[in-house]
Amino acid sequence: MNTARNTRVALVTGASRGIGAAVARRLARDGFAVAVNYASGSAQADALVAELEAAGARAIAVQADVANAEQVRRLFDTVETALGKVGLLVNNAGVLKTAPLAEHSDALYDQAFDINVRGTFNTLREAAARLADGGRIVNFSSTTLALNMPGYAIYNATKAAVEAFTQVFAKELRGRDITVNAVAPGPIATSLFLDGKTDEQIQTFAKMPPLQRLGQPEDIASVVSFLAGPDAGWVNGQILRANGGIA
Ligand code: NAP
């Protein structure tokens, strides 16, 4: 019989590239069987699964748009059938499009809230019924929420919702021995952060933290690994900012 503690099955949303791919690699190294969810990047997800399997891990790639509740249900079904009951859910899938609030289009607003908020809601709601007792959930906020920079109103609003989900859901799962936390990265060198920025803008961000560099996906993967591991057993309902000291 599978339990969270002995099967250690992790479902990582948005794991075809960026932070999610680094999280999948790290969790596989930590001994998890890993489900690599993606929206459209099937080639990258398949390549990552092949890489994880070559390193001796169990892994599958599963296409599902987290914004779609039915697809999220099927995502959990597929993972349970292929790998066993999910013990760790990492809600990493997310999008960022910056623009002044006054210039934000309805389409971009809907996309941001559909993926970042409804996507997290869909997987959390599904996890309430599906996650093994003793399991872990790691959501994704952002340090931009603490910086209040122009252009980030919509994105920050989506991450504020994710933080609210995290803190309330941790309490709603009372009695299940499940922790719910969020990591709030500072700027990380992925396409989400780099695309559309000039070299000068990127350097400005890189100089902001006292540690004077951009974060790498592995910096965040190690935080997720901590929150998913035995040393974080007493950490619950928390938002962990991993950002080189930026805020
Ligand atoms: P990224 O490089 O753009 O990767 C995003 C991932 O999410 C991709 O695997 C993408 O899959 C997937 N995805 C997008 N929409 C999806 C959907 N509807 N359903 C399922 N998967 C979907 O982004 P990242 O920088 O790694 O960001 C990961 C998380 O960290 C996000 O929640 C982001 O808000 C947060 N974050 C990032 C930074 C940063 O500086 N990078 C800072 C703070 C917080 P496809 O390849 O299939 O499109």
Side-chain angles (χ1 to χ4, degrees):
M1 181 68 188
N2 291 330
T3 71
R5 285 194 181 83
N6 62 27
T7 61
R8 290 163 57 88
V9 174
L11 166 55
V12 186
T13 67
S16 51
R17 55 194 165 84
I19 296 169
V23 169
R25 285 189 181 94
R26 175 60 193 259
L27 294 175
R29 255 180 36 221
D30 289 349
F32 283 89
V34 181
V36 173
N37 160 251
Y38 64 95
S40 57
S42 64
Q44 285 169 298
D46 287 344
L48 176 57
V49 165
E51 177 193 322
L52 300 182
E53 287 178 335
R58 291 169 69 211
I60 55 164
V62 191
Q63 194 281 332
D65 176 358
V66 293
N68 181 305
E70 184 50 39
Q71 291 186 30
V72 167
R73 271 191 286 278
R74 276 194 271 120
L75 168 64
F76 273 82
D77 285 344
T78 305
V79 178
E80 280 175 13
T81 303
L83 299 177
K85 207 166 175 59
V86 175
L88 167 64
L89 168 64
V90 182
N91 271 318
N92 163 82
V95 289
L96 163 68
K97 297 276 170 12
T98 54
L101 186 148
E103 294 165 23
H104 228 78
S105 68
D106 292 337
L108 283 182
Y109 177 97
D110 287 346
Q111 187 199 43
F113 275 84
D114 277 350
I115 297 175
N116 298 2
V117 183
R118 187 184 295 280
T120 301
F121 163 69
N122 282 337
T123 56
L124 291 180
R125 185 174 55 181
E126 207 57 33
R130 309 268 202 145
L131 209 70
D133 287 359
R136 302 281 170 91
I137 298 174
V138 181
N139 293 327
F140 266 71
S141 179
S142 172
T143 282
T144 57
L145 188 51
L147 296 175
N148 292 315
M149 291 179 296
Y152 285 79
I154 304 306
Y155 180 70
N156 286 357
T158 69
K159 295 304 189 180
V162 169
E163 293 198 6
F165 290 169
T166 301
Q167 289 164 328
V168 174
F169 202 50
K171 293 183 179 173
E172 291 180 350
L173 292 179
R174 170 180 290 274
R176 302 269 308 273
D177 195 20
I178 295 172
T179 65
V180 187
N181 294 291
V183 57
I188 306 294
T190 68
S191 57
L192 177 140
F193 167 76
L194 297 168
D195 289 358
K197 291 191 177 72
T198 63
D199 284 349
E200 199 185 343
Q201 288 170 322
I202 291 167
Q203 283 316 309
T204 302
F205 273 99
K207 286 183 191 134
M208 281 167 75
L211 298 185
Q212 292 187 300
R213 65 170 175 85
L214 291 179
Q216 296 300 319
E218 293 72 22
D219 290 316
I220 303 307
S222 46
V223 175
V224 174
S225 169
F226 164 68
L227 290 172
D231 288 345
W234 192 235
V235 181
N236 192 17
Q238 303 302 310
I239 315 299
L240 204 166
R241 286 188 195 149
N243 57 29
I246 216 170

